[in-house]
């Protein structure tokens, strides 16, 4: 059974700091990995998607890496801003690559960026 | 562009009452649809998924059921709610973006059973 763990559970940083969020998963046979952002009481916004054959993906100030063999992914946020404050969720697609897309989520990291 | 709608946004229901949450997707046909629940202190958990009309698979045993009466409509139901059914319910679909399959989520329904 796939299990996803995110560390730390909560993180508070001053504005402008670079930071790293960690995600680990127990079964390396994944199809892809997706990072999401969740604002309080809201749905999930997709940030980055990494296919199992890829090592990293970048979007603006965000960079996500994937080490499939060791079951780890990191989300790097550069020059953090108060607007980055949210819960960040890591999810792995545990299907073998067919049309289904069944995600296993971590519990998330609650990020607070202080002005 | 594709969009996903969920309603209601919030719901307070007494124990033992029925439940019906609705999700619709626009701008795509024959999507795979999913219901997830986010309970307090726990991660998001997949409850049901559907690959087509009247084709529903359950991931976990529970007090809930799902139906898909139309291609782009997915409904989550219960005949009698339990306190443990409280949580944040999210509908999702997966689609292709720039050649890659990606999951997209609705805005969620906050259900409180009292």
């Amino acid at each position: 059974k796939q299990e996803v763990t995110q560390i730390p559970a909560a993180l508070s940083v001053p504005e402008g700091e670079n930071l790293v969020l960690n995600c680990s998963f127990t079964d390396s046979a994944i199809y892809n990995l997706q990072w999401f952002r969740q604002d309080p009481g809201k749905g999930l916004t997709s940030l980055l998607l990494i296919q199992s054959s890829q090592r990293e993906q970048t979007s603006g100030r965000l960079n996500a890496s994937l080490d499939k063999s060791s079951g780890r992914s990191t989300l790097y946020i550069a020059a953090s801003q108060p607007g980055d404050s949210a819960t960040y969720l890591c999810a792995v697609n545990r299907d073998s690559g067919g049309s289904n897309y069944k995600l296993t989520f971590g519990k998330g990291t609650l990020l607070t960026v202080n002005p | 562009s594709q969009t996903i709608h969920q309603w209601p946004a919030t719901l307070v229901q007494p124990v033992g009452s029925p439940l019906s949450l609705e999700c619709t997707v626009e701008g795509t046909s024959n999507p795979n649809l999913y219901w997830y629940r986010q309970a307090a202190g726990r991660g998001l958990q997949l409850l049901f998924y559907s690959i087509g009309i009247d084709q529903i698979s359950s991931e976990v045993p529970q007090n809930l059921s799902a139906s898909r009466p139309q291609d782009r409509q997915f409904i989550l139901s219960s005949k009698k709610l339990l306190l443990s059914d409280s949580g944040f319910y999210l509908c999702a679909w997966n689609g292709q973006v720039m050649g890659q399959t990606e999951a997209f989520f609705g805005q969620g329904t906050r259900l409180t059973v009292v």
Side-chain angles (χ1 to χ4, degrees):
Chain A
K1 177 185 174 184
Q2 178 75 273
E3 292 184 359
V4 179
T5 303
Q6 290 187 246
I7 295 174
L11 181 64
S12 181
V13 300
E15 182 177 4
E17 192 163 298
N18 302 327
L19 57 99
V20 175
L21 308 181
N22 297 290
C23 171
S24 61
F25 45 94
T26 55
D27 186 350
S28 62
I30 65 170
Y31 181 62
N32 57 28
L33 183 146
Q34 207 165 342
W35 281 94
F36 294 89
R37 168 185 173 137
Q38 185 177 29
D39 292 292
K42 301 295 184 182
L44 275 59
T45 300
S46 180
L47 297 174
L48 288 166
L49 171 70
I50 310 178
Q51 300 295 338
S52 61
S53 58
Q54 296 174 326
R55 297 286 291 184
E56 65 178 313
Q57 284 286 337
T58 298
S59 175
R61 293 183 295 108
L62 305 179
N63 175 278
S65 68
L66 174 64
D67 185 342
K68 181 183 167 183
S69 61
S70 67
R72 296 172 187 263
S73 176
T74 62
L75 179 66
Y76 175 82
I77 303 177
S80 59
Q81 303 171 358
D84 294 330
S85 298
T87 297
Y88 290 80
L89 295 164
C90 167
V92 297
N93 180 7
R94 52 190 165 98
D95 193 65
S96 61
S99 60
N100 260 331
Y101 200 87
K102 295 183 282 187
L103 294 171
T104 302
F105 282 84
K107 292 184 180 181
T109 294
L110 175 61
L111 173 65
T112 303
V113 181
N114 301 301
Chain B
S1 65
Q2 302 90 348
T3 56
I4 182 168
H5 301 282
Q6 269 189 258
W7 65 92
T10 59
L11 192 59
V12 179
Q13 292 283 100
V15 168
S17 64
L19 173 74
S20 180
L21 302 181
E22 190 161 342
C23 169
T24 60
V25 180
E26 296 177 356
T28 186
S29 59
N30 196 32
N32 290 347
L33 296 172
Y34 308 82
W35 278 110
Y36 287 84
R37 177 172 61 199
Q38 189 174 37
R42 301 184 64 181
L44 274 155
Q45 182 182 36
L46 178 62
L47 302 177
F48 299 96
Y49 70 93
S50 171
I51 62 173
I53 295 175
D54 295 329
Q55 299 180 67
I56 310 294
S57 296
S58 174
E59 287 289 298
V60 293
Q62 58 203 305
N63 182 45
L64 304 169
S65 62
S67 61
R68 186 168 175 177
Q70 300 180 40
D71 180 46
R72 289 172 288 176
Q73 183 186 34
F74 204 21
I75 298 172
L76 185 69
S77 304
S78 174
K79 293 182 179 178
K80 291 184 178 181
L81 283 168
L82 306 172
L83 288 175
S84 58
D85 291 325
S86 293
F88 192 51
Y89 289 82
L90 287 157
C91 180
W93 72 283
N94 67 277
Q96 291 275 325
V97 177
M98 298 181 67
Q100 297 185 127
T101 301
E102 194 169 335
F104 299 94
F105 284 78
Q107 287 300 298
T109 295
R110 172 72 60 189
L111 171 65
T112 304
V113 183
V114 297

